[in-house]
Amino acid sequence: MTHIVRTVDRAGAKLHKKEVIEACTVIETPPVVVVGIVGYIETPRGLRALTTVWAEHLSDQLKRRFYKNWVNSKKKAFAKYSAKYKDGAKSITLQLNRIKKYCTVVRVLVHTQHHLLSLRQKKANPPGAEVGLPTIAQKVDFAHKNFEKEIRVGTVFGDNEMIDVIGVTKGRGYEGVTYRFGVRRLPRKTHRGLRRVGCIGAWHPAKVMWTVARSGQYGYHHRTEINKKVYRVGTGIRYEGGKNNASTAADLTEKAITPLGGFPHYGIVKDDFLLIKGCCVGPKKRPLVLRKSLLPQTNRDALEVIDLKFIDTSSKLGHGRFQTADEKAKYYFRDIKKKETKKEGK
């Protein structure tokens, strides 16, 4: 996390035209690769997958996902399927036409690229995403045209947009009722402990109701956080124009989003990123699913255009004083120079 300074643009509010400081989260988003299409038909029991079409060439990091032991395997996944593209791809075209004719929902299969991040994991995460085009035929053509191509986050999300973040929370293990539910502690002289529930229910019904606080697993839960404001869709330093991705119109200092010393427990942000307001679910390095808001946004906060004045890039390992390495070097060089002149004067 870091913090930003921005000007509030909310007519009638007390903070209108004033500067505020807000906490923000940086989410690194390397480009995903399109590897397939899934077509769904509607049934009385919900959606059912009609057919799936895969790309001709799939990377090893995706193939690892389909194996339990990649090292000792023969690594022949999709070998027969890729051969279908050699005979003019007639069977592939047939399946695409079936999706266009019968399906009501079309989703693309994409996978992450962990080799672009400083993570130990070599196995890709393959989430699916729905295509936002008017007709089924356009969706299928768009997905098929982008097979084996990268999709960057800037083509999906934009500045000032509200998004939802889906992930798994930090795991805290087995916890008691006081920490898990915030139950009030019992008086000091209570027999057999005081960090507990005084009464877990009446004699009848002869069971413990689900509403009664009990100790158990806390954290490591799947959660969806809605309405996260996107303050900036940043370009990664590996791309053109990404070296100054933390500069603003009011702060022309040439600096990247990574603070001095890197983000604690993470490192350097090299790829595209999202700067969202507040916190988000999960610890560092845990994968997240980002999606567009499912509801039309009419709130003033959601429609407000964000004017960033300053993005903090000082060290997060202590009381950061410097925004860039050059600023830090100039400061300490000046001190050294003063000491040298004092020694010469003596």
Side-chain angles (χ1 to χ4, degrees):
M1 294 187 71
T2 184
H3 67 266
I4 57 97
V5 178
R6 71 179 183 93
T7 303
V8 177
D9 184 15
R10 206 179 305 153
K14 290 184 178 180
L15 291 175
H16 183 55
K17 299 297 182 184
K18 294 183 180 179
E19 292 184 349
V20 294
I21 301 174
E22 292 177 337
C24 290
T25 301
V26 179
I27 304 176
E28 189 172 8
T29 54
V32 295
V33 180
V34 179
V35 291
I37 313 172
V38 185
Y40 296 88
I41 59 175
E42 291 183 356
T43 69
R45 293 174 298 278
L47 295 178
R48 180 177 70 84
L50 177 69
T51 185
T52 304
V53 179
W54 295 91
E56 182 178 2
H57 304 101
L58 302 180
S59 63
D60 284 348
Q61 52 188 337
L62 175 63
K63 291 179 182 178
R64 282 176 179 268
R65 175 59 60 181
F66 304 109
Y67 284 92
K68 207 165 189 179
N69 190 341
W70 171 259
V71 176
N72 295 329
S73 66
K74 295 181 179 179
K75 305 176 181 60
K76 288 189 176 182
F78 293 94
K80 292 182 179 179
Y81 190 90
S82 60
K84 295 181 180 180
Y85 282 88
K86 295 179 181 178
D87 59 349
K90 294 180 181 178
S91 60
I92 301 298
T93 307
L94 179 64
Q95 296 301 322
L96 292 174
N97 292 333
R98 284 186 68 206
I99 295 176
K100 292 179 182 179
K101 185 176 180 180
Y102 298 110
C103 294
T104 56
V105 175
V106 175
R107 293 174 183 165
V108 293
L109 295 173
V110 299
H111 76 79
T112 56
Q113 302 186 82
H114 284 285
H115 67 279
L116 299 177
L117 302 172
S118 56
L119 301 178
R120 293 175 58 192
Q121 181 176 329
K122 298 178 182 178
K123 190 183 296 187
N125 295 318
E130 194 157 342
V131 185
L133 289 173
T135 64
I136 297 297
Q138 288 178 333
K139 293 180 180 182
V140 174
D141 293 337
F142 170 81
H144 187 240
K145 184 179 66 175
N146 286 279
F147 269 7
E148 304 175 28
K149 293 183 181 178
E150 293 183 345
I151 295 182
R152 293 172 61 181
V153 69
T155 62
V156 181
F157 302 112
D159 293 345
N160 308 312
E161 191 175 348
M162 302 293 275
I163 66 171
D164 299 341
V165 179
I166 305 169
V168 178
T169 61
K170 290 181 180 179
R172 293 177 172 83
Y174 193 97
E175 292 292 346
V177 291
T178 304
Y179 184 65
R180 195 177 183 213
F181 293 105
V183 173
R184 185 186 292 274
R185 294 192 311 163
L186 297 177
R188 180 185 63 81
K189 298 176 72 173
T190 305
H191 184 49
R192 291 179 181 169
L194 51 83
R195 294 175 61 90
R196 54 192 303 170
V197 177
C199 176
I200 62 172
W203 192 312
H204 292 289
K207 62 179 180 180
V208 179
M209 300 292 288
W210 64 271
T211 54
V212 178
R214 308 290 277 163
S215 59
Q217 173 67 29
Y218 186 54
Y220 204 67
H221 305 306
H222 189 276
R223 294 290 181 264
T224 300
E225 294 185 338
I226 65 172
N227 296 341
K228 296 290 185 180
K229 183 87 170 180
V230 177
Y231 278 0
R232 171 170 290 188
V233 179
T235 305
I237 58 176
R238 66 169 80 244
Y239 300 105
E240 184 179 354
K243 293 187 177 180
N244 300 332
N245 53 27
S247 300
T248 63
D251 180 22
L252 300 177
T253 307
E254 295 184 358
K255 59 181 181 178
I257 194 66
T258 305
L260 288 179
F263 282 103
H265 307 286
Y266 187 85
I268 301 173
V269 176
K270 299 178 182 176
D271 276 284
D272 298 344
F273 65 90
L274 291 183
L275 186 67
I276 65 172
K277 179 182 177 180
C279 62
C280 74
V281 63
K284 286 86 174 172
K285 299 183 180 180
R286 181 164 292 172
L288 300 172
V289 176
L290 308 176
R291 76 177 183 202
K292 287 182 173 288
S293 179
L294 301 180
L295 302 173
Q297 298 294 332
T298 58
N299 191 9
R300 292 180 66 190
D301 294 339
L303 301 177
E304 182 181 357
V305 178
I306 302 301
D307 179 22
L308 292 179
K309 296 288 187 182
F310 171 77
I311 300 175
D312 181 62
T313 57
S314 61
S315 175
K316 308 302 175 188
L317 296 168
H319 302 285
R321 299 172 60 187
F322 310 104
Q323 294 295 315
T324 62
D326 293 339
E327 181 183 342
K328 183 177 181 180
K330 288 178 182 177
Y331 178 86
Y332 285 112
F333 178 74
R334 187 167 67 247
D335 282 358
I336 294 170
K337 199 171 182 180
K338 284 180 180 178
K339 291 178 182 177
E340 289 178 352
T341 52
K342 285 182 180 179
K343 288 181 180 178
E344 288 175 2
K346 289 180 181 179

